[in-house]
Amino acid sequence: MMGKKALAIVLSFILVLGSSGMVFGETAQSPAFADMPDNWSSAALNKAVENQLLKGYDEDGKMLIKANNPLTRAELAAVVNRAFACVGLADISKATDVSSTAWYASDMAKAVKMGTFALDTKMRPGDRITRQEAFAVLARAFKLTSADSTHKALDKFSDKADIAAWALNDLDGLAAAGYVQGN
C-alpha cells in the first residue's frame, strides 16, 4: 500500500484535475501541447504528462491537453489505472454505454476489476465526475473504505446528510485517515 505522502500527492493531483479539467485521452505522450496553459496548473500538468498519467488528445494533427475541460469519469478511471499500473480487465459487457471501441473501454474495465468503479448497466464514462465520486474512487484505490456504520469521522461536516448512501463508507474512510478535512 502506498504511504500517506503518496496518497496526499494523488489526492492533491485529483483536486487540481477536478478544478482545471485535465484529460486522459488515448494518444501517445507528446512533448508539446498546442493548448498547454501558462498558469498555476502548468507544473502539475507537465509532471502528469512526464509521469504518463496524462496523454492528451490528437485532433487534426495537434496534440491537445484540454486543461479547461471538466474531468470525466472515464478520464479519472484512466489516471487512477495508470497510477496503479492496472492491467486486469473485468467483463463490462452489461454496461450499455461503454462501446468496446471507445478509447476508455479498457480503462472502465480495469477500474471495475480494481474495484474503484462499480459495474452497472450505465457507467456514464463521459459524465463529469463529482467530488464525491472522485473521493470514493480514491478511497477504494487506497483501501481506505471505512467499516464504521455510524460514519463518525464525517460528523464534523455540516453537509454530511448530503452524502449519498453509497459513498458514506468511502468518504468516512478518507476523513478518518485525515485526507478530507473540509473548510
Side-chain angles (χ1 to χ4, degrees):
M1 179 193 258
M2 291 187 174
K4 281 192 165 195
K5 184 176 180 182
L7 178 58
I9 291 168
V10 170
L11 282 171
S12 297
F13 183 69
I14 295 300
L15 288 175
V16 167
L17 296 176
S19 61
S20 63
M22 304 311 105
V23 299
F24 307 90
E26 80 259 49
T27 60
Q29 180 177 337
S30 174
F33 293 94
D35 63 342
M36 180 63 80
D38 184 17
N39 61 26
W40 62 271
S41 68
S42 301
L45 285 170
N46 284 314
K47 274 291 186 202
V49 170
E50 179 183 316
N51 289 307
Q52 298 182 18
L53 295 176
L54 298 178
K55 295 185 178 184
Y57 289 95
D58 184 352
E59 292 185 3
D60 299 324
K62 281 201 279 190
M63 288 303 297
L64 302 175
I65 198 77
K66 297 185 179 183
N68 292 319
N69 284 8
L71 184 66
T72 67
R73 293 171 48 82
E75 290 166 344
L76 182 60
V79 78
V80 170
N81 293 341
R82 291 174 188 153
F84 284 84
C86 296
V87 293
L89 299 170
D91 176 9
I92 61 167
S93 58
K94 82 174 210 174
T96 59
D97 59 351
V98 179
S99 167
S100 62
T101 60
W103 73 261
Y104 50 76
S106 68
D107 279 307
M108 297 305 284
K110 288 174 186 177
V112 169
K113 181 72 170 186
M114 184 178 176
T116 54
F117 278 64
L119 178 60
D120 201 346
T121 56
K122 297 279 186 194
M123 300 292 297
R124 302 178 295 111
D127 286 5
R128 291 179 178 187
I129 193 147
T130 66
R131 286 175 52 151
Q132 174 176 257
E133 290 170 336
F135 285 155
V137 167
L138 293 173
R140 295 169 191 168
F142 285 102
K143 309 291 187 220
L144 291 173
T145 298
S146 173
D148 176 11
S149 63
T150 65
H151 309 110
K152 201 174 350 181
L154 295 173
D155 287 346
K156 63 184 172 185
F157 297 98
S158 62
D159 60 350
K160 177 182 178 181
D162 296 335
I163 299 171
W166 62 263
L168 281 167
N169 290 343
D170 298 318
L171 273 66
D172 188 65
L174 286 177
Y179 294 111
V180 178
Q181 298 176 2
N183 51 14

